[in-house]
Amino acid sequence: MYKIGQSTDIHPFKENRKLILGGVEIPYHKGLDGHSDADALLHAIAEAILGALGMKDLGHLFDDSDEKTTNISSLIILKEVYKIMVEKGYEINNVDSLIIIEEPKMKNYLDKMVHNIAFTLNCEESCINVKATCAEKLGFIGEKKGVAAQAVVLLKKVKNNESN
Ligand code: ZN
């Protein structure tokens, strides 16, 4: 039995922040603003997994007014969502994802992102796909004001330990 989920996440650029996507710190003169490390890619993937499980958005699980989670690595958030997925008896079939960012170029970092995500979700790297595109100078992404990430995940039931 399979379940599909999708999500989109957006974060604005801000001075004096690190740019972290897919758990990789990327050299750039500004980073993404948010309560955690603002890793839009990992947030989109985590929320897509929650969606596949029929659960509410990531904000319901992680309270962004909780000081204990200020600036935490989103790899920790993804790991928490992974644990929920396993408890419900599912594993990753595959993840397809897309980062929409004007600059910097992502291509040198995509393999490392795939590695981080596969490691965190305890699956083969061949099950994880991370793509990147730009917005052709259009809109808030094209004007380098922010970044969006999208993810689609397919989960596969491996254990019969939930009612649905
Ligand atoms: Zn986010």
Side-chain angles (χ1 to χ4, degrees), residues 9-11 39-40 43:
D9 194 43
I10 292 170
H11 283 272
D39 189 327
H43 293 178

Side-chain angles (χ1 to χ4, degrees), residues 11 18 38 75 80 116 134 142 158:
H11 283 272
K18 288 176 181 172
L75 288 166
E80 289 302 311
N116 288 346
C134 72
V158 284

